[in-house]
């Protein structure tokens, strides 16, 4: 099943790469493509949680009222860590060496980078909502675009860097 999924994703990536080959190296293209899948999943989860599941008034936790968009952001983040790592490792940065020890180290670094991304995403999201009175789902799309750019550079040169032994 996984092998079939891998082949399907790889075929899809190779099918459309000639269109982008002139402008993007394959790893950048693959990162953007699989990142778009994971990002879309993250945004859809956020929107469904915020718009339909969580109470708009927020959630009282420990004497504080936590905004629904904050809870939605955190849940969507946790749900997309495994898919994001799997997609990045197997398609965007697959030329990097593997092995269980190496994979565990990469996963740890991946979690650090996406944790930084979550913090940045939260601060940008909160800023857009508070200072620009932006609707939370629209603000999430803007904050994601900024964070995605930074995360690509960190994933390429920190998490999945090729020179690592």
């Amino acid at each position: 099943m996984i092998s079939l999924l891998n082949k399907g994703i790889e075929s899809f990536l190779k099918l459309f790469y000639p269109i982008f080959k002139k402008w993007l190296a394959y790893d950048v293209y693959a990162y953007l493509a699989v990142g778009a899948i994971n990002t879309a999943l993250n945004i859809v989860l956020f929107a469904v949680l915020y718009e339909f599941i969580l109470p708009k008034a927020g959630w009282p936790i420990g004497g504080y009222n936590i905004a629904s968009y904050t809870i939605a952001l955190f849940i969507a983040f946790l749900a997309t860590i495994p898919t994001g790592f799997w997609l990045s490792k197997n398609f965007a940065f697959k030329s990097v060496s593997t092995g269980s020890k190496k994979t565990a180290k990469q996963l740890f670094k991946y979690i650090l980078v996406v944790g930084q991304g979550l913090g940045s995403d939260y601060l940008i999201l909160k800023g857009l909502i508070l200072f620009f009175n932006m609707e939370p789902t629209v603000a999430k799309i803007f904050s994601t675009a900024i964070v995605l750019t930074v995360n690509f550079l960190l994933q390429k040169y920190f998490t999945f860097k090729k020179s690592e032994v």
Side-chain angles (χ1 to χ4, degrees), residues 5 20-21 30 41 49 54 64 68 80 94 99 101-102 106 116 135 142-143 150 164:
L5 182 60
F20 300 97
K21 190 175 187 173
L41 175 61
L49 289 165
L54 297 170
Y64 295 98
S68 292
T80 55
K94 68 180 183 176
K101 201 172 192 181
K102 177 85 166 172
Q106 288 170 339
Q116 163 282 138
E135 198 277 325
F142 279 104
S143 67
V150 172
E164 200 173 294

Side-chain angles (χ1 to χ4, degrees), residues 106 109-110 113 154-161 164:
Q106 288 170 339
K109 287 180 171 184
Y110 182 86
V113 170
L154 290 171
Q155 297 297 10
K156 181 172 180 159
Y157 297 109
F158 175 66
T159 305
F160 298 106
K161 70 180 182 179
E164 200 173 294

Side-chain angles (χ1 to χ4, degrees), residues 138-153:
V138 174
K140 172 65 174 144
I141 294 167
F142 279 104
S143 67
T144 297
I146 295 165
V147 170
L148 187 63
T149 303
V150 172
N151 278 3
F152 169 75
L153 296 171

Side-chain angles (χ1 to χ4, degrees), residues 88-104:
S88 291
K89 181 160 183 59
N90 289 295
F91 301 102
F93 304 109
K94 68 180 183 176
S95 64
V96 177
S97 63
T98 59
S100 61
K101 201 172 192 181
K102 177 85 166 172
T103 298

Side-chain angles (χ1 to χ4, degrees), residues 50 54-60 64-73 122 126 129:
Y50 176 74
L54 297 170
K56 293 285 189 222
W59 205 295
Y64 295 98
N65 191 42
I66 309 298
S68 292
Y69 59 79
T70 301
I71 296 167
L73 178 73
Y122 174 75
K126 188 89 170 166
I129 293 166

